[in-house]
């Protein structure tokens, strides 16, 4: 973690920007010649220069599975494999990407505080800390299930929030989400893009995240860094997100730029985040430092980025206590996301909780999970063929595609907008006398698709 004494090392924060630009590649030891695989790099961020051979044999794969998977995946090196490869459930966690989106709400109280404060720079401290907080969950090395087209996820009973996400496109995979309470509204359109590099994969967050703080109508825009997943096939899988996160107040021009340090050998720099809150004139006003898997702190600074005399670092966010020895490294909140405790009354039958493959994996039945996953994918292809034969186009239920196409650092994005129908539906459902047991509802992401002739 960055030092708790900003003066340590003499002008550390003043030289932060220049030092960050000199990102070094993490030192690695090749496994060439050790196992007969050429061109692979195995890095153990907590390891030494002598354990590459041992590390290459570690991970969740059996030897025969690893060899077979490597042979199958070689042809995809350099490609975007977001939706073109059928992956085995051995690498999955019992959660979908829609539920993963909802994990941003774990520390939503930070957005409440951003809305309540009258200090424009503390507003950015709170809001950017909220954006950082989800990275503790993102360090998990298991892959979420890709949602079926039309699949949804709903969450209530958390900090007064109503959350809805929907899979709005299959190729390329795109999701849209909306959350709201009395203090803020959250809107996101997400289109993941990947680049498979052999034993690792780069994940580019092609998306647009906007938060509206209700008291003053302030709109915040978030651009996160890419994520790198290392040791997919050989060695212990681990995740890093080197680069910068930028949150901009579109109303005032203030912004936060936080630098995620790249992980070096022996874990040097891993998890560390440092940066500043700037005013609209790009003058630093607050320095921020910490680790994205532990905590973040802030301190007022001068125009050179140095801490103001008489001030001290104050902690703004700390990761909540997590269960010990959880197989999937879930937090208590992640467990609630999968449970029906956070589900609304009369849950939609398209909800991720009801997916038979996800549920089977949660119950530990990998064979059934694999079978159900294949069945859902086959039905999705059949539904697509049916639509094409009838000349129909899929239309999401809760989000509308706009004419806006917004640029991102990794490509253009078609923007989807929450249409408000869900709010009406939910109000009606809550007043309904229907007592259907949602746990017994058959999963049906096609319930809103009009496939009639």
């Amino acid at each position: 973690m960055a030092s708790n004494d900003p003066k340590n090392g003499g002008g550390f924060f003043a030289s932060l920007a220049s030092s960050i630009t000199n990102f070094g590649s993490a030192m690695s030891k090749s496994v060439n010649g050790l196992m007969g695989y050429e061109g692979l790099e195995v890095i153990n961020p907590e390891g030494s220069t002598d354990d590459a051979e041992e590390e290459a044999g570690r991970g969740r794969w059996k030897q025969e599975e690893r060899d077979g998977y490597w042979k199958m995946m070689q042809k995809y090196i350099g490609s975007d494999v977001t939706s073109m490869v059928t992956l085995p459930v051995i690498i999955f966690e019992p959660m979908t990407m829609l539920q993963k989106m909802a994990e941003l709400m774990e520390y939503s109280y930070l957005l409440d505080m951003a809305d309540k404060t009258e200090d424009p720079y503390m507003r950015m401290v709170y809001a950017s800390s909220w954006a950082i907080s989800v990275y503790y969950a993102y360090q998990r090395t298991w892959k979420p299930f890709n949602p079926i087209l039309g699949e949804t996820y709903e969450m209530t009973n958390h900090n007064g929030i109503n959350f809805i996400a929907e899979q709005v496109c299959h190729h390329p995979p795109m999701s849209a989400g909306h959350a709201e309470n009395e203090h803020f509204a959250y809107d996101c359109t997400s289109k993941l893009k990947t680049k498979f590099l052999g034993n690792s994969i780069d994940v580019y967050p092609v998306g647009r995240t906007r938060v509206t703080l209700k008291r003053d109508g302030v709109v915040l825009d978030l651009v996160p860094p890419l994520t790198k997943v290392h040791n997919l096939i050989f060695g212990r899988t681990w995740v890093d997100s080197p680069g910068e996160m930028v949150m901009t107040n579109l109303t005032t021009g203030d912004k936060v730029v936080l630098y995620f340090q790249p992980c070096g050998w022996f874990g040097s720099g891993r998890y560390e985040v440092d940066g500043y809150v700037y005013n609209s004139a790009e003058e630093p006003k607050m320095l921020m430092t910490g680790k994205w898997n532990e905590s973040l702190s802030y301190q007022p600074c001068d125009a050179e980025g140095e801490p103001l005399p008489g001030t001290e670092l104050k902690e703004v966010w700390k990761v909540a206590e997590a269960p010990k020895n959880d197989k999937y490294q879930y937090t208590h909140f992640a467990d609630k996301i999968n449970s029906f405790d956070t589900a609304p009354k009369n849950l939609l039958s398209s909800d991720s909780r009801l997916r038979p493959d996800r549920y089977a994996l949660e119950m530990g039945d990998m064979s059934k999970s694999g079978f159900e996953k294949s069945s859902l994918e086959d039905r999705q292809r059949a539904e697509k063929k049916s639509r094409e034969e009838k000349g129909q186009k899929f239309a999401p239920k809760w989000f509308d595609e706009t004419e806006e196409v917004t640029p991102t650092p990794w490509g253009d994005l078609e923007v989807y907008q929450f249409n408000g129908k869900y709010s009406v539906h939910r109000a009606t459902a809550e007043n309904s006398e229907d007592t259907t047991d949602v746990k017994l509802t058959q999963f049906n992401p096609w319930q809103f698709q009009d496939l009639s002739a």
Side-chain angles (χ1 to χ4, degrees), residues 83-104:
S83 59
M84 63 186 291
V85 179
T86 299
L87 300 171
V89 294
I90 190 174
I91 68 172
F92 281 72
E93 63 177 329
M95 184 180 286
T96 72
M97 283 299 301
L98 299 180
Q99 293 172 284
K100 197 89 168 180
M101 290 174 69
E103 286 196 79
L104 260 170

Side-chain angles (χ1 to χ4, degrees), residues 269-288:
R270 192 177 188 195
Y271 309 119
E272 292 184 8
V273 180
D274 300 289
Y276 293 100
V277 175
Y278 298 91
N279 64 14
S280 58
E282 300 188 354
E283 300 166 332
K285 291 296 182 179
M286 294 277 188
L287 63 84
M288 298 182 66

Side-chain angles (χ1 to χ4, degrees), residues 404-419:
E404 182 179 0
V405 177
T406 186
T408 78
W410 303 282
D412 291 342
L413 174 75
E414 304 82 3
V415 176
Y416 284 77
Q417 179 176 299
F418 180 63
N419 58 27

